[in-house]
Amino acid sequence: MKLIFAPYPLHLKHKFGVSGHTRTATPDVLIKIEHQGFVGYGEASMPPYLGESIESVCNFLTKINLKQFNDPFQLEDILEYVDKTANGNCAAKASIDIALHDLIGKILNVPCYKLFGLNPTKTPLTTYTIGIDTNEMMQQKVKEVEGQFKILKVKLGTDRDKEIIESIRLITNLPIAVDANQGWKDLSEAMEMTHWLKEQGVVLIEQPMSKERLDDIAKLTEQSPIPIYADESVQRLYDIARLKGAFNGINIKLMKCTGMREAWKMINTAKALGMKVMLGCMTETSCAVSAAAQLSPAIDFADLDGNLLISNDPFEGIKIINGKITLNARPGIGLSPKQEIIFK
Ligand code: MG
């Protein structure tokens, strides 16, 4: 197998604000793995707060020697080698995992959701994310997608959270999921916000407080009228067990957890522990979003809109129709390149 990669910086349609920072671009690397005439595509998307960069991803991929493997179906062996090559580098690792799944789906000529035994009609709705901005811009972002989504996700964790929700409520009655991105300072603020948000038609809260405050989050979850999901508190499979009881659910992202194979293990582990599962994403192309969507019939809640937030998506992949994730019958992760990507 041959691994080829190329930096592909993503341009965001709007500046994207979350609690703590704002940006207009996302570093990204696209990869392809070639084997016996088949090509699998993968992607590493790196929002700066996770510590990876185009340089770190390219350095990691340079160390990977896939030529030692002749059988792309031996995912456990290949991905164990990739994971052990260096600590961290989760987005870089995810790019290889995604490309291998795309490759084996293409060799077998079946979509990946079939390989996982999933029913494509059971995909969930996805939220559409409204980043932090002025009230007017946030209202405009809601209006731009009117009629296309049945649920919104609003970023909070500011000192004007109630004002943001009130201004959005002036123009829409859609259910809202809220992501505080660790922005609420303490238990009393989180408790007060949670009960207030219930009155505003909020149906889910993601990462209310700092991941360091697990005991406080557990107390909040115990009394919250709205389900509380972990995002920053959970990265990989080994994180889940200690979160039981502290959160109602977890947000799995391929770029955090090293890809589809570990995500599938996480989905089943969370379910076994009685927790709900959400699949989320970074701002990324249709490549990684379509890969995550292959697993979406198995989950409770989806936030897979990252490809819709960028203006230079080089792929066509899964679609959102009437707010619902809609898989296609293409093999692998379901991609069709819209343009030639210049790989080194
Ligand atoms: Mg989040």
Side-chain angles (χ1 to χ4, degrees):
M1 284 182 283
K2 188 176 168 197
L3 168 67
I4 307 160
F5 54 90
Y8 188 83
L10 305 179
H11 308 307
L12 307 188
K13 286 180 184 167
H14 290 288
K15 70 178 178 178
F16 191 72
V18 304
S19 181
H21 59 96
T22 294
R23 63 180 199 273
T24 56
T26 300
D28 195 273
V29 174
L30 297 177
I31 79 163
K32 63 178 179 177
I33 296 176
E34 295 176 344
H35 180 68
Q36 296 181 348
F38 293 93
V39 176
Y41 290 103
E43 171 178 18
S45 166
M46 294 82 66
Y49 66 93
L50 286 178
E52 290 181 76
S53 63
I54 285 181
E55 190 185 14
S56 72
V57 169
C58 292
N59 282 341
F60 181 83
L61 294 175
T62 304
K63 290 183 199 148
I64 297 297
N65 173 19
L66 291 185
K67 292 201 172 111
Q68 63 186 303
F69 298 101
N70 294 319
D71 182 357
F73 290 88
Q74 290 180 3
L75 291 170
E76 286 291 332
D77 286 357
I78 303 168
L79 295 173
E80 187 185 354
Y81 154 74
V82 169
D83 199 21
K84 286 185 171 166
T85 297
N87 289 333
N89 291 284
C90 291
K93 291 171 182 174
S95 72
I96 297 172
D97 166 284
I98 293 168
L100 285 170
H101 279 88
D102 193 33
L103 181 71
I104 65 173
K106 284 170 173 165
I107 293 170
L108 294 171
N109 198 29
V110 292
C112 286
Y113 64 78
K114 284 199 178 189
L115 295 177
F116 287 95
L118 298 173
N119 178 345
T121 66
K122 290 190 176 168
T123 52
L125 298 172
T126 179
T127 48
Y128 181 79
T129 303
I130 309 297
I132 294 167
D133 209 322
T134 62
N135 290 351
E136 294 69 30
M137 276 305 294
M138 290 178 83
Q139 285 182 328
Q140 188 189 320
K141 290 174 189 175
V142 173
K143 285 181 193 155
E144 277 175 17
V145 295
E146 200 174 354
Q148 298 173 50
F149 293 88
K150 295 188 171 160
I151 178 164
L152 298 173
K153 172 165 152 177
V154 177
K155 293 286 194 180
L156 293 183
T158 69
D159 53 10
R160 57 182 183 95
D161 284 356
K162 288 186 180 177
E163 190 189 307
I164 287 173
I165 294 294
E166 280 165 346
S167 85
I168 288 175
R169 270 286 168 253
L170 289 176
I171 58 162
T172 181
N173 291 319
L174 287 177
I176 293 174
V178 151
D179 188 353
N181 282 114
Q182 315 186 78
W184 297 334
K185 293 184 305 294
D186 54 33
L187 182 58
S188 69
E189 181 184 10
M191 199 74 87
E192 202 264 321
M193 279 305 294
T194 301
H195 285 89
W196 184 82
L197 289 168
K198 173 71 179 171
E199 307 297 310
Q200 310 303 315
V202 169
V203 297
L204 183 154
I205 294 174
E206 210 178 302
Q207 199 68 40
M209 284 177 271
S210 161
K211 62 182 180 183
E212 313 301 332
R213 291 181 167 264
L214 194 58
D215 291 346
D216 283 340
I217 294 172
K219 286 178 196 153
L220 177 70
T221 299
E222 204 182 322
Q223 296 187 44
S224 171
I226 306 173
I228 309 286
Y229 278 57
D231 185 1
E232 287 86 342
S233 288
V234 62
Q235 182 166 7
R236 298 196 58 176
L237 181 60
Y238 48 68
D239 293 317
I240 302 175
R242 71 182 170 83
L243 301 181
K244 180 177 164 57
F247 289 92
N248 301 108
I250 59 168
N251 184 352
I252 300 170
K253 296 176 180 169
L254 299 188
M255 296 303 142
K256 289 194 300 185
C257 79
T258 72
M260 297 168 74
R261 196 152 183 85
E262 181 142 333
W264 178 246
K265 293 174 184 175
M266 291 176 76
I267 290 169
N268 291 294
T269 301
K271 284 183 179 178
L273 293 170
M275 299 173 85
K276 299 277 188 192
V277 177
M278 165 178 185
L279 265 175
C281 60
M282 308 300 178
T283 45
E284 56 198 25
T285 76
S286 287
C287 178
V289 167
S290 298
Q294 301 297 314
L295 304 176
S296 69
I299 61 163
D300 303 290
F301 196 90
D303 176 33
L304 291 176
D305 62 347
N307 57 327
L308 306 174
L309 305 176
I310 64 168
S311 60
N312 59 337
D313 190 347
F315 299 105
E316 194 183 295
I318 63 118
K319 295 265 181 283
I320 308 303
I321 299 176
N322 290 327
K324 183 177 153 78
I325 294 170
T326 308
L327 298 165
N328 59 56
R330 291 185 200 117
I333 59 175
L335 291 184
S336 169
K338 286 194 291 198
Q339 68 194 55
E340 196 183 343
I341 300 145
I342 308 300
F343 286 97
K344 281 186 211 167

